[in-house]
Amino acid sequence: MAVGIFDSGLGGLTVLNAVSRRLPDVPLVYFGDNAHAPYGVRDADDIYNLTTKAVTRMWDEGVDLVIIACNTASAAALRRMQESFLPKNKRCLGVFVPLIEALTEREWGDNSPPREVRVKHVALFATPATVSSRAFQRELAFRAIGVDVEAQACGGVVDAIEDGDMILAEALVRSHVDALKRKMPQPQAAILGCTHYPLMESTFQDALGPEVEVYSQANLVAESLADYLGRHPDMLGSGTESKFLTSGNPAKVSARATQFLRREIKFVSA
Ligand code: DGL
């Protein structure tokens, strides 16, 4: 009854952590494509090829449903995967939609026409590839009208986190927040549109100020996954074991993951 969670690297662990709290009995197969992170500076074809290769590897672990816990892959590759890659009995779900449903005060899966919402000025922090895809604005436009979105491409943050250089990551977050505030001085809400960024959430909140509501994805994705599995229990795969796979160096990746999640995580070679 396993479910897969995919990310370009360590960021998806923020989602894995929330999912394992919400669904403690479901074995989770995690794949970090650390050898090829960051995805955020790659082009759409490259992201599609890497993501489909990793997801294909995950099918071998007895999962039928993979959460693409990477906004960059969700933005640049997921639609194409759903149209032309996924076999009939397999599913991939992205991480954008649950976030947008929460921002626009919708029930999970509510596809009613767009309407006015409480939040009017939204700052989006994401990787360069996610920002240039405009996928967030497209999904938002299906659900809300009259929302002004200012996007900030946060170059360098994912590399710093993957390298464990949290001092550099913090300095970069503060400079990206400053840049955003020059374009939108008073956002009401900020979206952390990269699953690595919750590891820096307190820095984002501090730099933005207490009046800005910061939305991060982990708990929202976990909640919407629980709802999805309640409606589609057949999407629980045959796998029985939790596992952490990486395309990178397992010892190095395990050490970083253990540091981030503050519990022992042991990756094996994909
Ligand atoms: N965690 C990925 C995301 O949510 C990071 C992307 C990257 O590898 O640049 O976008």
mmCIF file of all heavy atoms in Angstrom, residues 212-242:
data_model
loop_
_atom_site.group_PDB
_atom_site.id
_atom_site.type_symbol
_atom_site.label_atom_id
_atom_site.label_comp_id
_atom_site.label_asym_id
_atom_site.label_seq_id
_atom_site.Cartn_x
_atom_site.Cartn_y
_atom_site.Cartn_z
ATOM 1 N N VAL A 212 2.415 39.324 7.109
ATOM 2 C CA VAL A 212 2.273 38.555 5.857
ATOM 3 C C VAL A 212 2.027 37.079 6.208
ATOM 4 O O VAL A 212 2.761 36.474 6.979
ATOM 5 C CB VAL A 212 3.551 38.677 4.987
ATOM 6 C CG1 VAL A 212 3.404 37.871 3.700
ATOM 7 C CG2 VAL A 212 3.845 40.138 4.675
ATOM 8 N N GLU A 213 0.940 36.544 5.613
ATOM 9 C CA GLU A 213 0.604 35.140 5.866
ATOM 10 C C GLU A 213 1.438 34.255 4.925
ATOM 11 O O GLU A 213 1.322 34.391 3.706
ATOM 12 C CB GLU A 213 -0.882 34.970 5.562
ATOM 13 C CG GLU A 213 -1.513 33.763 6.170
ATOM 14 C CD GLU A 213 -3.024 33.771 5.905
ATOM 15 O OE1 GLU A 213 -3.579 34.841 5.550
ATOM 16 O OE2 GLU A 213 -3.618 32.709 6.026
ATOM 17 N N VAL A 214 2.270 33.405 5.490
ATOM 18 C CA VAL A 214 3.148 32.567 4.660
ATOM 19 C C VAL A 214 2.497 31.195 4.464
ATOM 20 O O VAL A 214 2.170 30.511 5.431
ATOM 21 C CB VAL A 214 4.544 32.416 5.309
ATOM 22 C CG1 VAL A 214 5.407 31.436 4.522
ATOM 23 C CG2 VAL A 214 5.245 33.781 5.393
ATOM 24 N N TYR A 215 2.291 30.810 3.187
ATOM 25 C CA TYR A 215 1.713 29.503 2.870
ATOM 26 C C TYR A 215 2.834 28.567 2.458
ATOM 27 O O TYR A 215 3.570 28.857 1.528
ATOM 28 C CB TYR A 215 0.742 29.601 1.689
ATOM 29 C CG TYR A 215 -0.586 30.217 2.021
ATOM 30 C CD1 TYR A 215 -0.708 31.591 2.213
ATOM 31 C CD2 TYR A 215 -1.730 29.430 2.141
ATOM 32 C CE1 TYR A 215 -1.934 32.157 2.519
ATOM 33 C CE2 TYR A 215 -2.962 29.996 2.443
ATOM 34 C CZ TYR A 215 -3.049 31.362 2.630
ATOM 35 O OH TYR A 215 -4.261 31.920 2.924
ATOM 36 N N SER A 216 2.952 27.449 3.171
ATOM 37 C CA SER A 216 3.923 26.469 2.693
ATOM 38 C C SER A 216 3.188 25.154 2.474
ATOM 39 O O SER A 216 2.126 24.906 3.035
ATOM 40 C CB SER A 216 5.125 26.405 3.630
ATOM 41 O OG SER A 216 5.029 25.385 4.530
ATOM 42 N N GLN A 217 3.784 24.302 1.617
ATOM 43 C CA GLN A 217 2.969 23.244 1.022
ATOM 44 C C GLN A 217 2.795 21.973 1.822
ATOM 45 O O GLN A 217 1.805 21.280 1.650
ATOM 46 C CB GLN A 217 3.587 22.858 -0.320
ATOM 47 C CG GLN A 217 3.367 23.916 -1.346
ATOM 48 C CD GLN A 217 4.259 23.723 -2.539
ATOM 49 O OE1 GLN A 217 5.426 23.398 -2.398
ATOM 50 N NE2 GLN A 217 3.711 23.920 -3.706
ATOM 51 N N ALA A 218 3.767 21.663 2.694
ATOM 52 C CA ALA A 218 3.823 20.305 3.218
ATOM 53 C C ALA A 218 2.485 19.826 3.805
ATOM 54 O O ALA A 218 1.948 18.795 3.390
ATOM 55 C CB ALA A 218 4.939 20.205 4.243
ATOM 56 N N ASN A 219 1.952 20.570 4.774
ATOM 57 C CA ASN A 219 0.722 20.093 5.424
ATOM 58 C C ASN A 219 -0.473 20.094 4.469
ATOM 59 O O ASN A 219 -1.342 19.233 4.547
ATOM 60 C CB ASN A 219 0.400 20.933 6.662
ATOM 61 C CG ASN A 219 1.415 20.671 7.757
ATOM 62 O OD1 ASN A 219 1.987 19.586 7.833
ATOM 63 N ND2 ASN A 219 1.673 21.669 8.578
ATOM 64 N N LEU A 220 -0.484 21.072 3.559
ATOM 65 C CA LEU A 220 -1.603 21.146 2.606
ATOM 66 C C LEU A 220 -1.589 19.942 1.663
ATOM 67 O O LEU A 220 -2.625 19.349 1.366
ATOM 68 C CB LEU A 220 -1.502 22.442 1.788
ATOM 69 C CG LEU A 220 -1.566 23.734 2.603
ATOM 70 C CD1 LEU A 220 -1.251 24.941 1.728
ATOM 71 C CD2 LEU A 220 -2.949 23.878 3.230
ATOM 72 N N VAL A 221 -0.388 19.566 1.214
ATOM 73 C CA VAL A 221 -0.276 18.403 0.322
ATOM 74 C C VAL A 221 -0.668 17.135 1.073
ATOM 75 O O VAL A 221 -1.391 16.276 0.547
ATOM 76 C CB VAL A 221 1.156 18.298 -0.257
ATOM 77 C CG1 VAL A 221 1.356 16.985 -1.005
ATOM 78 C CG2 VAL A 221 1.443 19.478 -1.179
ATOM 79 N N ALA A 222 -0.231 17.024 2.334
ATOM 80 C CA ALA A 222 -0.549 15.823 3.129
ATOM 81 C C ALA A 222 -2.065 15.701 3.312
ATOM 82 O O ALA A 222 -2.637 14.607 3.170
ATOM 83 C CB ALA A 222 0.146 15.905 4.492
ATOM 84 N N GLU A 223 -2.702 16.816 3.596
ATOM 85 C CA GLU A 223 -4.150 16.807 3.810
ATOM 86 C C GLU A 223 -4.881 16.440 2.522
ATOM 87 O O GLU A 223 -5.815 15.629 2.529
ATOM 88 C CB GLU A 223 -4.544 18.229 4.260
ATOM 89 C CG GLU A 223 -5.633 18.364 5.277
ATOM 90 C CD GLU A 223 -5.673 17.274 6.337
ATOM 91 O OE1 GLU A 223 -4.786 17.192 7.196
ATOM 92 O OE2 GLU A 223 -6.631 16.486 6.269
ATOM 93 N N SER A 224 -4.445 17.014 1.398
ATOM 94 C CA SER A 224 -5.166 16.715 0.159
ATOM 95 C C SER A 224 -4.868 15.283 -0.305
ATOM 96 O O SER A 224 -5.732 14.629 -0.906
ATOM 97 C CB SER A 224 -4.879 17.751 -0.928
ATOM 98 O OG SER A 224 -3.720 17.452 -1.593
ATOM 99 N N LEU A 225 -3.693 14.753 0.013
ATOM 100 C CA LEU A 225 -3.401 13.349 -0.319
ATOM 101 C C LEU A 225 -4.308 12.413 0.495
ATOM 102 O O LEU A 225 -4.841 11.434 -0.045
ATOM 103 C CB LEU A 225 -1.917 13.037 -0.036
ATOM 104 C CG LEU A 225 -1.507 11.572 -0.207
ATOM 105 C CD1 LEU A 225 -1.688 11.102 -1.655
ATOM 106 C CD2 LEU A 225 -0.053 11.343 0.227
ATOM 107 N N ALA A 226 -4.486 12.720 1.772
ATOM 108 C CA ALA A 226 -5.358 11.880 2.608
ATOM 109 C C ALA A 226 -6.776 11.879 2.020
ATOM 110 O O ALA A 226 -7.431 10.827 1.927
ATOM 111 C CB ALA A 226 -5.364 12.401 4.041
ATOM 112 N N ASP A 227 -7.219 13.059 1.587
ATOM 113 C CA ASP A 227 -8.551 13.164 0.985
ATOM 114 C C ASP A 227 -8.607 12.350 -0.323
ATOM 115 O O ASP A 227 -9.550 11.590 -0.564
ATOM 116 C CB ASP A 227 -8.841 14.650 0.717
ATOM 117 C CG ASP A 227 -10.155 14.853 0.007
ATOM 118 O OD1 ASP A 227 -11.193 14.719 0.670
ATOM 119 O OD2 ASP A 227 -10.145 15.108 -1.220
ATOM 120 N N TYR A 228 -7.552 12.456 -1.150
ATOM 121 C CA TYR A 228 -7.508 11.739 -2.428
ATOM 122 C C TYR A 228 -7.537 10.227 -2.209
ATOM 123 O O TYR A 228 -8.284 9.500 -2.867
ATOM 124 C CB TYR A 228 -6.234 12.149 -3.194
ATOM 125 C CG TYR A 228 -6.116 11.487 -4.542
ATOM 126 C CD1 TYR A 228 -6.702 12.056 -5.671
ATOM 127 C CD2 TYR A 228 -5.428 10.282 -4.689
ATOM 128 C CE1 TYR A 228 -6.604 11.435 -6.905
ATOM 129 C CE2 TYR A 228 -5.328 9.661 -5.923
ATOM 130 C CZ TYR A 228 -5.920 10.240 -7.029
ATOM 131 O OH TYR A 228 -5.830 9.627 -8.249
ATOM 132 N N LEU A 229 -6.735 9.753 -1.238
ATOM 133 C CA LEU A 229 -6.682 8.298 -1.001
ATOM 134 C C LEU A 229 -7.991 7.785 -0.409
ATOM 135 O O LEU A 229 -8.371 6.638 -0.637
ATOM 136 C CB LEU A 229 -5.502 7.952 -0.079
ATOM 137 C CG LEU A 229 -4.117 8.095 -0.729
ATOM 138 C CD1 LEU A 229 -3.019 7.876 0.308
ATOM 139 C CD2 LEU A 229 -3.946 7.111 -1.894
ATOM 140 N N GLY A 230 -8.681 8.659 0.334
ATOM 141 C CA GLY A 230 -10.006 8.287 0.841
ATOM 142 C C GLY A 230 -10.969 8.023 -0.324
ATOM 143 O O GLY A 230 -11.795 7.109 -0.282
ATOM 144 N N ARG A 231 -10.802 8.818 -1.405
ATOM 145 C CA ARG A 231 -11.694 8.661 -2.573
ATOM 146 C C ARG A 231 -11.165 7.628 -3.573
ATOM 147 O O ARG A 231 -11.926 7.096 -4.372
ATOM 148 C CB ARG A 231 -11.866 10.018 -3.266
ATOM 149 C CG ARG A 231 -12.729 10.982 -2.446
ATOM 150 C CD ARG A 231 -12.930 12.330 -3.116
ATOM 151 N NE ARG A 231 -11.743 13.153 -3.099
ATOM 152 C CZ ARG A 231 -11.067 13.539 -4.171
ATOM 153 N NH1 ARG A 231 -11.472 13.190 -5.370
ATOM 154 N NH2 ARG A 231 -9.994 14.289 -4.060
ATOM 155 N N HIS A 232 -9.836 7.384 -3.538
ATOM 156 C CA HIS A 232 -9.227 6.445 -4.501
ATOM 157 C C HIS A 232 -8.328 5.450 -3.770
ATOM 158 O O HIS A 232 -7.098 5.416 -4.012
ATOM 159 C CB HIS A 232 -8.372 7.199 -5.525
ATOM 160 C CG HIS A 232 -9.108 8.246 -6.290
ATOM 161 N ND1 HIS A 232 -9.858 7.976 -7.395
ATOM 162 C CD2 HIS A 232 -9.221 9.580 -6.083
ATOM 163 C CE1 HIS A 232 -10.388 9.101 -7.855
ATOM 164 N NE2 HIS A 232 -10.024 10.088 -7.076
ATOM 165 N N PRO A 233 -8.865 4.619 -2.885
ATOM 166 C CA PRO A 233 -8.016 3.688 -2.113
ATOM 167 C C PRO A 233 -7.278 2.708 -3.021
ATOM 168 O O PRO A 233 -6.234 2.175 -2.652
ATOM 169 C CB PRO A 233 -9.007 2.962 -1.189
ATOM 170 C CG PRO A 233 -10.363 3.251 -1.736
ATOM 171 C CD PRO A 233 -10.286 4.500 -2.553
ATOM 172 N N ASP A 234 -7.792 2.499 -4.242
ATOM 173 C CA ASP A 234 -7.135 1.586 -5.198
ATOM 174 C C ASP A 234 -5.775 2.127 -5.667
ATOM 175 O O ASP A 234 -4.991 1.383 -6.269
ATOM 176 C CB ASP A 234 -8.056 1.369 -6.411
ATOM 177 C CG ASP A 234 -8.500 2.699 -7.006
ATOM 178 O OD1 ASP A 234 -9.010 3.553 -6.229
ATOM 179 O OD2 ASP A 234 -8.310 2.911 -8.224
ATOM 180 N N MET A 235 -5.476 3.404 -5.396
ATOM 181 C CA MET A 235 -4.190 3.957 -5.827
ATOM 182 C C MET A 235 -3.060 3.678 -4.841
ATOM 183 O O MET A 235 -1.913 4.091 -5.070
ATOM 184 C CB MET A 235 -4.295 5.474 -6.083
ATOM 185 C CG MET A 235 -5.081 5.862 -7.321
ATOM 186 S SD MET A 235 -4.754 4.863 -8.792
ATOM 187 C CE MET A 235 -3.036 5.232 -9.100
ATOM 188 N N LEU A 236 -3.365 2.978 -3.744
ATOM 189 C CA LEU A 236 -2.287 2.521 -2.861
ATOM 190 C C LEU A 236 -1.618 1.337 -3.554
ATOM 191 O O LEU A 236 -2.296 0.368 -3.919
ATOM 192 C CB LEU A 236 -2.860 2.097 -1.503
ATOM 193 C CG LEU A 236 -3.277 3.256 -0.578
ATOM 194 C CD1 LEU A 236 -4.190 2.759 0.532
ATOM 195 C CD2 LEU A 236 -2.057 3.963 -0.003
ATOM 196 N N GLY A 237 -0.306 1.409 -3.768
ATOM 197 C CA GLY A 237 0.394 0.367 -4.523
ATOM 198 C C GLY A 237 0.675 -0.874 -3.692
ATOM 199 O O GLY A 237 0.301 -0.951 -2.521
ATOM 200 N N SER A 238 1.390 -1.823 -4.309
ATOM 201 C CA SER A 238 1.623 -3.113 -3.642
ATOM 202 C C SER A 238 2.811 -3.079 -2.671
ATOM 203 O O SER A 238 3.010 -3.992 -1.882
ATOM 204 C CB SER A 238 1.891 -4.184 -4.706
ATOM 205 O OG SER A 238 3.030 -3.781 -5.440
ATOM 206 N N GLY A 239 3.638 -2.021 -2.705
ATOM 207 C CA GLY A 239 4.829 -1.931 -1.847
ATOM 208 C C GLY A 239 4.466 -1.963 -0.367
ATOM 209 O O GLY A 239 3.401 -1.493 0.031
ATOM 210 N N THR A 240 5.366 -2.532 0.425
ATOM 211 C CA THR A 240 5.067 -2.664 1.853
ATOM 212 C C THR A 240 6.110 -1.965 2.725
ATOM 213 O O THR A 240 5.972 -1.917 3.930
ATOM 214 C CB THR A 240 5.035 -4.154 2.262
ATOM 215 O OG1 THR A 240 6.265 -4.747 1.837
ATOM 216 C CG2 THR A 240 3.867 -4.885 1.644
ATOM 217 N N GLU A 241 7.168 -1.442 2.085
ATOM 218 C CA GLU A 241 8.293 -0.907 2.848
ATOM 219 C C GLU A 241 8.567 0.548 2.510
ATOM 220 O O GLU A 241 8.546 0.917 1.328
ATOM 221 C CB GLU A 241 9.545 -1.665 2.400
ATOM 222 C CG GLU A 241 10.103 -2.642 3.395
ATOM 223 C CD GLU A 241 11.409 -3.155 2.832
ATOM 224 O OE1 GLU A 241 12.436 -2.505 3.042
ATOM 225 O OE2 GLU A 241 11.363 -4.188 2.128
ATOM 226 N N SER A 242 8.857 1.359 3.526
ATOM 227 C CA SER A 242 9.328 2.721 3.253
ATOM 228 C C SER A 242 10.777 2.645 2.802
ATOM 229 O O SER A 242 11.525 1.775 3.256
ATOM 230 C CB SER A 242 9.239 3.578 4.514
ATOM 231 O OG SER A 242 7.889 3.850 4.793
#
